[in-house]
Amino acid sequence: MIANASTWNELTETDLVHLPDIQFVTYCFQMFGLNRGIYNTIDQWLYDSGYKDVLQRRKATVSFLHLINEKGGRERTGSLLRFGKGGVTKQLYDFIHLPESVFLSQRLISE
């Protein structure tokens, strides 16, 4: 079953990270405007950075997307989240290595 936005809001974090892959990706698309390619980039980058456990990566993905939405969600073009060339990996690096307050104070570049 693929849910709608109101159903997504009823899920706990535990339920969310345990969804089948297609439903988790659909959640990311519907809630954050993320496409499968960007999702795959985020997932691979986190894996390569030491997040070997899929549940840990999913929690980090959701946390990252919430913070990106908070700091630059208004810069979204249409329904898709835009990062610009190389932008998603830079944002991921900063998300992992900078304190949250510094990360949130940086402008999201989406050229």
Side-chain angles (χ1 to χ4, degrees):
M1 175 187 101
I2 295 182
N4 60 37
S6 63
T7 306
W8 296 129
N9 292 327
E10 297 171 11
L11 291 175
T12 65
E13 180 182 331
T14 300
D15 291 335
L16 179 63
V17 298
H18 286 284
L19 288 172
D21 190 52
I22 187 66
Q23 289 182 353
F24 184 76
V25 172
T26 300
Y27 165 82
C28 292
F29 178 77
Q30 290 182 353
M31 296 301 290
F32 303 104
L34 192 68
N35 66 35
R36 183 69 188 215
I38 297 295
Y39 169 80
N40 288 341
T41 299
I42 293 168
D43 194 52
Q44 185 66 55
W45 192 93
L46 290 170
Y47 181 85
D48 292 344
S49 296
Y51 290 76
K52 302 300 183 196
D53 179 73
V54 68
L55 299 178
Q56 184 185 27
R57 281 197 315 277
R58 286 184 173 191
K59 287 177 184 178
T61 298
V62 171
S63 179
F64 172 71
L65 292 173
H66 276 294
L67 290 175
I68 285 293
N69 199 43
E70 183 177 333
K71 83 183 235 181
R74 291 168 299 284
E75 295 183 34
R76 288 170 54 170
T77 303
S79 63
L80 294 178
L81 186 60
R82 306 247 186 234
F83 287 95
K85 184 175 170 99
V88 69
T89 54
K90 182 198 179 315
Q91 293 295 320
L92 281 162
Y93 180 88
D94 291 348
F95 167 71
I96 297 300
H97 293 96
L98 296 176
E100 184 176 315
S101 61
V102 175
F103 178 74
L104 286 172
S105 70
Q106 294 179 329
R107 190 172 155 274
L108 179 63
I109 299 172
S110 59
E111 297 175 14

